[in-house]
Amino acid sequence: MKLDVKRIHTGNAKWSLLFTVLLLGLPLIFSTNNYLLSTLIMVGFYTIVSTGLTLLMGYAGQISLGQAAFYGIGAYTSAYLTAHAGVSSWLAMAAGAAIAAMVALIVGIPAFRLREHYLALATLGFGIIVFTFFKEWKGITGGLNGFFGIPPIQLFGFPLQTDFQFYYLVWIFALIGVLFARNIVRSRVGRALLSIHGSEIAANSLGVNITKYKLQIFMISAVYASVAGSLYAHYVTFINPDLFGIVPSIYFLIMVVIGGTGNVWGGLIGAAVYVCLGELLKEMVPMFIPNAGGEFEIVFFGLLLVIILIYMPNGLSHSLSKVLKRVSSTSRHRKEPILVAENENAGSVGGEH
Amino acid sequence: MKKSVLLEIEQLSKSFGGVHAVQNVSFCVRDQEIVAIIGPNGAGKTTLFNIVTGILPPTSGSVLFKGMPVTGKKPYQLAALGITRTFQNLQVFTNMTVIENVMVGMHTRLKTGIFSAGFRLPQVFKEEKQALKQAMACLEQVGIAHLAFEKADILPYGTQRLVEIARAAASQPSLILLDEPMAGLNPQESKKLVDVLLAMRNNGMTFLFVEHDMETVMAIADRVIVLDYGKKIAEGCPEEITQHPDVIKAYLGEEEGASC
Amino acid sequence: MDGWSQFVQLLFSGLTVGSIYALVALGFVITYSVTGILNLAQGDFAMLGALLCITFVNSGIPFVIAILLSVVAVMAVGGLFERLAIHPARNSSIATLIIITIGAAFVFRGIAIFIWGTQPYALRPFTGNHSLNVVGAVIQTQNLWAIALSLVSFIALYIFFNKTYIGKAVTACVVNPFAARLMGIEPRKMSLGAVAVSAGLGALAGIVIAPVSGASYDMGVMIGLKAFIAAVIGGLTNAPAAIAGAFIIGILEAFTEGYLSSGYKDAISFGLLLLVLFFMPNGIFAKMSGKRV
Ligand SMILES: Nc1ncnc2c1ncn2[C@@H]1O[C@H](COP(=O)(O)OP(=O)(O)OP(=O)(O)O)[C@@H](O)[C@H]1O
Ligand SMILES: [Mg+2]
């Protein structure tokens, strides 16, 4: 019997690779379809945020209802530093990430002494307070009127302005983010996070410094959100506080729930479903219900949230990975080392990373 | 006794409001000993464990481990020093596989931090491989290696207990506290567990355990400590204890007040 | 308007808003005590109540009947919500349940947009456009209605929970669900009742505030959130403390608005929430109590 590390991490490298190639090849085929590209760019931003949030919620089991605050911190830091202070966009992005991490640390220290309901309310409160600052610090953020004229991001002195260019920029970040998250969860740190979710008291008694890991992963998730915010600001060149209030925080939460907890691809799947469904609803709803405003679509997201949580609490990525596993195992069933000898339902064996 | 003292408990007390769960309890545990704590329900056994493992602060008194005062240390710090435990109400990580449970138990022995993990530095892979091998060995020790890649939540109760024990032993601590390890096990399973514990002891492990099943206590305990209403009412080898008048009184539930 | 009359004016507007928060917070405390769920859709019951009542009044139904009808209708919505969303997920984790209530809030809001659109509506005051003059401050009678109605509700609830059989049964479920079951009380059924009563309280709050600040599909968000702050400040399961918390928040907001800037109103309330959560997690009126491990 050969022991292999791959046995614990039953993710599908093959599928992941295939998907990555597809993703990066797509613009070469549809290079002139700006609608498609810009939609997928949005998916990219949200993938980055929700991958970070998946680490926090899906792995460590800690809720955050204020994630959009970090998204906003990144966006406004980049906007201000590049537009008003002449700082390079990369430096500004790093500064945003650093600020977001600091804020996460400062808020996290008292907040992660709280649990469940209280943690939910505290992060919500944090989100609303930051949102208020975005609205009221008019000198920096432009207040409710918004922040105009954010310069494009520069790469080796060339501004990245077309959707085609931005697509690659965003998706390289997103894929690196997913890879980084995948590496974390397949390690001592990932197990520590899962153990906190499983039983704090047992994790603590086995040597896991719970507070440290909660804070670390909160900071990491803040950095993910902030980097996405920075990229977003450069892409749209105009931002306003409403993009970073509680409702966006809830949308990030919805993405994580749709995508599923306990799988690093969950964030991407959630982001994709969210954006595509949103686009679809924008098309469909006026056809069936002519007088409903654009905001009517929230009813679908609300329903989706409730239904998924009741009937599919592990999210779409869980079901998808099962399907993929079945597809690949039928083709090479015989070659698998049979470790679980006396177990009848060996088909369902395996972690869900 | 020639063996050195591993754990020393001095005048430990814990009150919850008006409930004096543990009162002035003192005793010690020596290297490679197996010490049992017995006592009726609500005697304060679990509370004592919670204090020793840092989950609860004592109201007064102190705990010394390897001669070092450890009162007030956090559970994870104590784990790093070499004290781990199992729980009366199972605390298996049901969101993980059996082997991952055990690998969490090795947490203090591994080094990978969040950045070396994220960037998958070469040593991480080596460490993972090593950890997997050791975790597998732990599972073999308690006889559930064949279940390594099962999700922990589908296992029967008795097997989950074994997972907890393997997990607690995974970091090769000096002392393991077991809170009612036999509860929920069938006779064969408990017999197997007795053998496992004795074998682990021969490999250098020390155990302090709470148990209601007197057969197990008689079979493996070198020494027995009896708690009743938070007080230590007797201490000695198993044969002495079963003859002890206060112990008989406590268990038969005669008029109290005369105890101690 | 001199300083003193401004003070009185702000105080009254704080008391009015506070009594609305108190009604919603009370519903929240009841739901939480009985079901253990933090219902983030609580504020949307207020929105539904207000908009329904406006529709009824506009279609010519007498005022009092319109109020009663809309309260009952929202109670039915609350009951439906409990059956369809809370009950099936009752064994899920707390985080899951919180998120479910967020989803429900979205659904309520979406339905409201569908029926009423996004424009604000007005409801005429209960008793004409009269106002009183108190040391130079102009107090609308509707403000007095708000305060009075919430006081009446508190007293009614107090009597319900302490004097009637059903009320005592609910209390029993909260104090000791196991013993309650032994006595033949079914805590599960209480969950339905609790959510329905909370919904009714929320609806009443919405109806009362509608003549003062109008009604629209998104009015529930902030009312709900502020009510949570009030309840948390009070310690989540303590109704009188939640009411006190609600008035503290209401008055604090009125003064922030009057003396500072309305933009900071929400931040100040949530700042207070964070302070309480971080430093007094059992509420400002609570004694410390140990949790068993
Ligand atoms: N966190 C707590 N808060 C209040 N009282 C507690 C707490 N923990 C334990 N107690 C009380 O302390 C006493 C001792 O409880 P403990 O759990 O230590 O008993 P035990 O000996 O482990 O009993 P059992 O054999 O039933 O496990 C009991 O009266 C119990 O009610
Ligand atoms: Mg016990």
Side-chain angles (χ1 to χ4, degrees):
Chain A
M1 167 164 85
K2 190 177 159 297
L3 263 183
D4 189 347
V5 179
K6 287 196 187 101
R7 282 292 309 194
I8 20 176
H9 309 307
T10 50
N12 265 296
K14 203 173 63 186
W15 291 110
S16 307
L17 207 66
L18 185 68
F19 177 75
T20 306
V21 169
L22 261 178
L23 201 61
L24 294 180
L26 207 67
L28 301 176
I29 306 162
F30 297 100
S31 59
T32 51
N33 189 339
N34 274 339
Y35 173 72
L36 180 74
L37 289 187
S38 63
T39 306
L40 289 178
I41 288 170
M42 283 318 288
V43 176
F45 296 131
Y46 294 153
T47 296
I48 300 174
V49 183
S50 53
T51 302
L53 193 56
T54 298
L55 285 176
L56 181 72
M57 285 186 42
Y59 284 87
Q62 307 300 307
I63 195 169
S64 167
L65 298 182
Q67 211 64 11
F70 298 118
Y71 191 49
I73 287 174
Y76 277 110
T77 309
S78 278
Y80 186 81
L81 289 182
T82 55
H84 294 332
V87 176
S88 103
S89 34
W90 300 100
L91 213 60
M93 183 187 289
I99 294 172
M102 280 307 294
V103 172
L105 181 65
I106 293 165
V107 174
I109 287 173
F112 285 110
R113 302 206 329 247
L114 306 169
R115 271 192 215 143
E116 294 158 351
H117 296 128
Y118 293 103
L119 181 63
L121 280 181
T123 51
L124 185 73
F126 159 71
I128 288 178
I129 290 170
V130 172
F131 171 64
T132 309
F133 284 134
F134 291 154
K135 271 192 320 189
E136 299 297 322
W137 277 358
K138 299 188 176 73
I140 295 173
T141 65
L144 280 174
N145 295 330
F147 194 120
F148 294 87
I150 303 164
I153 209 160
Q154 306 266 339
L155 191 65
F156 307 121
F158 295 104
L160 300 182
Q161 269 166 318
T162 67
D163 279 354
F164 184 81
Q165 294 162 334
F166 222 92
Y167 180 94
Y168 280 104
L169 179 69
V170 167
W171 277 104
I172 285 168
F173 268 94
L175 290 171
I176 290 175
V178 173
L179 186 67
F180 192 83
R182 187 200 81 139
N183 288 345
I184 286 180
V185 303
R186 292 182 174 190
S187 76
R188 169 181 183 257
V189 180
R191 287 188 295 272
L193 297 176
L194 280 172
S195 75
I196 293 172
H197 196 173
S199 163
E200 288 202 5
I201 192 168
N204 200 348
S205 302
L206 292 168
V208 177
N209 185 344
I210 292 176
T211 319
K212 184 183 97 180
Y213 284 109
K214 283 184 187 172
L215 280 176
Q216 278 188 348
I217 211 65
F218 189 47
M219 288 167 74
I220 295 269
S221 79
V223 169
Y224 271 82
S226 167
V227 167
S230 294
L231 292 169
Y232 178 74
H234 287 298
Y235 178 63
V236 292
T237 72
F238 163 73
I239 51 176
N240 70 330
D242 284 332
L243 297 164
F244 313 109
I246 354 175
V247 175
S249 284
I250 305 288
Y251 282 134
F252 292 137
L253 191 78
I254 292 180
M255 294 174 214
V256 171
V257 169
I258 294 176
T261 55
N263 189 311
V264 285
W265 289 102
L268 189 152
I269 293 172
V273 171
Y274 169 80
V275 172
C276 296
L277 202 60
E279 292 299 317
L280 197 69
L281 289 173
K282 245 181 242 156
E283 294 283 314
M284 305 288 279
V285 170
M287 279 158 52
F288 294 105
I289 315 161
N291 57 345
E295 291 167 86
F296 179 63
E297 68 197 43
I298 66 170
V299 79
F300 290 101
F301 288 114
L303 276 176
L304 197 65
L305 203 53
V306 174
I307 290 169
I308 285 192
L309 283 174
I310 293 176
Y311 297 105
M312 209 192 273
N314 289 320
L316 287 182
S317 65
H318 188 77
S319 321
L320 192 68
S321 81
K322 265 191 187 160
V323 171
L324 288 184
K325 214 166 278 172
R326 194 144 306 153
V327 172
S328 32
S329 72
T330 43
S331 59
R332 48 169 188 148
H333 201 132
R334 289 291 139 210
K335 282 188 276 176
E336 283 268 311
I338 298 166
L339 203 58
V340 191
E342 49 190 81
N343 182 47
E344 315 87 273
N345 58 346
S348 67
V349 174
E352 44 187 47
H353 303 297
Chain B
M1 279 268 177
K2 293 133 273 172
K3 298 263 188 203
S4 61
V5 172
L6 188 63
L7 178 78
E8 205 171 346
I9 284 163
E10 287 173 350
Q11 300 284 311
L12 214 56
S13 297
K14 176 74 192 179
S15 312
F16 299 105
V19 180
H20 302 294
V22 175
Q23 299 182 54
N24 275 324
V25 171
S26 304
F27 65 89
C28 63
V29 178
R30 295 189 178 81
D31 243 349
Q32 286 195 315
E33 250 190 326
I34 299 186
V35 177
I37 297 181
I38 63 168
N41 289 109
K45 306 176 297 284
T46 299
T47 306
L48 186 70
F49 269 29
N50 284 342
I51 299 170
V52 173
T53 52
I55 288 163
L56 290 173
T59 311
S60 65
S62 60
V63 180
L64 287 103
F65 184 64
K66 295 179 178 165
M68 214 185 355
V70 294
T71 337
K73 286 219 188 302
K74 303 265 165 47
Y76 71 88
Q77 295 169 320
L78 291 166
L81 289 174
I83 306 181
T84 59
R85 68 174 290 181
T86 67
F87 297 86
Q88 184 176 355
N89 316 312
L90 282 177
Q91 300 286 332
V92 169
F93 304 125
T94 49
N95 54 342
M96 307 166 87
T97 59
V98 169
I99 190 110
E100 285 175 313
N101 264 272
V102 177
M103 287 169 88
V104 174
M106 300 175 57
H107 190 83
T108 56
R109 292 269 154 156
L110 309 178
K111 285 197 256 335
T112 305
I114 203 154
F115 286 108
S116 48
F119 295 115
R120 200 81 179 164
L121 301 181
Q123 71 261 28
V124 176
F125 188 74
K126 242 167 68 189
E127 191 184 86
E128 282 290 289
K129 234 174 143 160
Q130 195 64 29
L132 183 67
K133 229 166 86 188
Q134 286 175 14
M136 219 50 202
C138 285
L139 286 175
E140 267 155 28
Q141 200 167 19
V142 298
I144 50 170
H146 58 289
L147 300 173
F149 300 100
E150 297 289 340
K151 272 299 272 310
D153 58 351
I154 64 163
L155 301 178
Y157 193 81
T159 315
Q160 293 202 11
R161 283 216 170 271
L162 294 177
V163 174
E164 270 208 7
I165 290 168
R167 192 176 72 179
S171 63
Q172 294 165 322
S174 332
L175 173 67
I176 301 181
L177 281 68
L178 306 166
D179 200 345
E180 305 200 8
M182 304 296 165
L185 299 194
N186 62 36
Q188 293 103 297
E189 284 174 324
S190 17
K191 207 158 283 157
K192 203 170 85 185
L193 184 55
V194 164
D195 293 339
V196 169
L197 295 181
L198 287 173
M200 283 181 172
R201 188 260 291 274
N202 289 340
N203 286 335
M205 209 83 93
T206 308
F207 292 98
L208 179 64
F209 75 111
V210 167
E211 190 49 69
H212 283 297
D213 174 31
M214 285 312 283
E215 211 171 304
T216 311
V217 173
M218 302 300 284
I220 61 171
D222 301 315
R223 217 145 38 84
V224 180
I225 288 156
V226 189
L227 292 186
D228 190 25
Y229 289 104
K231 292 191 181 121
K232 184 173 101 174
I233 57 167
E235 176 175 349
C237 67
E239 294 74 33
E240 284 165 24
I241 289 299
T242 46
Q243 312 296 325
H244 200 293
D246 285 346
V247 176
I248 295 167
K249 210 184 299 176
Y251 268 90
L252 295 182
E254 272 192 24
E255 285 298 316
E256 11 127 11
S259 71
C260 281
Chain C
M1 194 154 63
D2 60 25
W4 181 236
S5 64
Q6 189 190 8
F7 179 84
V8 173
Q9 186 87 53
L10 292 175
L11 184 67
F12 262 89
S13 94
L15 284 173
T16 309
V17 178
S19 60
I20 303 309
Y21 293 164
L23 282 174
V24 180
L26 206 56
F28 170 56
V29 168
I30 292 172
T31 307
Y32 182 79
S33 307
V34 175
T35 64
I37 291 166
L38 182 101
N39 178 10
L40 283 169
Q42 192 73 32
D44 294 285
F45 293 138
M47 174 270 292
L48 289 178
L51 289 172
L52 272 176
C53 188
I54 290 168
T55 302
F56 289 146
V57 169
N58 288 349
S59 65
I61 296 173
F63 212 103
V64 179
I65 296 175
I67 293 175
L68 284 177
L69 264 181
S70 35
V71 169
V72 170
V74 174
M75 284 179 76
V77 171
L80 212 60
F81 156 67
E82 199 275 346
R83 283 293 106 177
L84 294 181
I86 299 290
H87 192 75
R90 64 194 174 282
N91 297 324
S92 312
S93 74
I94 290 175
T96 303
L97 283 164
I98 295 178
I99 303 173
I100 285 181
T101 67
I102 294 176
F106 273 42
V107 173
F108 292 147
R109 239 164 274 163
I111 292 173
I113 294 175
F114 181 56
I115 300 176
W116 291 286
T118 50
Q119 71 272 33
Y121 288 81
L123 181 62
R124 68 170 170 82
F126 289 10
T127 47
N129 245 329
H130 305 292
S131 57
L132 302 172
N133 206 314
V134 184
V135 289
V138 184
I139 312 291
Q140 302 290 332
T141 42
Q142 187 63 28
N143 292 32
L144 298 179
W145 268 113
I147 298 167
L149 264 181
S150 52
L151 287 180
V152 169
S153 310
F154 305 150
I155 294 166
L157 280 173
Y158 178 83
I159 293 171
F160 174 72
F161 281 112
N162 290 286
K163 303 281 185 253
T164 67
Y165 175 76
I166 306 177
K168 283 184 191 165
V170 174
T171 317
C173 286
V174 175
V175 177
N176 189 338
F178 180 68
R181 203 160 326 137
L182 290 182
M183 303 293 292
I185 301 164
E186 184 48 69
R188 290 270 165 76
K189 274 194 200 120
M190 295 302 162
S191 165
L192 177 64
V195 177
V197 168
S198 309
L201 283 171
L204 188 64
I207 296 165
V208 172
I209 197 68
V212 180
S213 51
S216 64
Y217 80 101
D218 60 352
M219 69 184 276
V221 184
M222 274 304 154
I223 293 183
L225 290 178
K226 300 303 169 51
F228 296 133
I229 301 180
V232 171
I233 288 175
L236 277 182
T237 52
N238 181 340
I243 294 169
F247 282 107
I248 291 174
I249 296 287
I251 291 169
L252 189 70
E253 287 194 342
F255 283 111
T256 310
E257 225 170 346
Y259 292 124
L260 197 60
S261 144
S262 68
Y264 284 106
K265 184 173 88 168
D266 299 339
I268 294 233
S269 303
F270 279 95
L272 183 66
L273 170 76
L274 291 190
L275 285 181
V276 171
L277 284 176
F278 293 166
F279 298 108
M280 291 165 282
N282 293 307
I284 47 178
F285 305 106
K287 303 169 284 302
M288 285 301 288
S289 64
K291 190 176 178 287
R292 280 191 82 148
V293 239

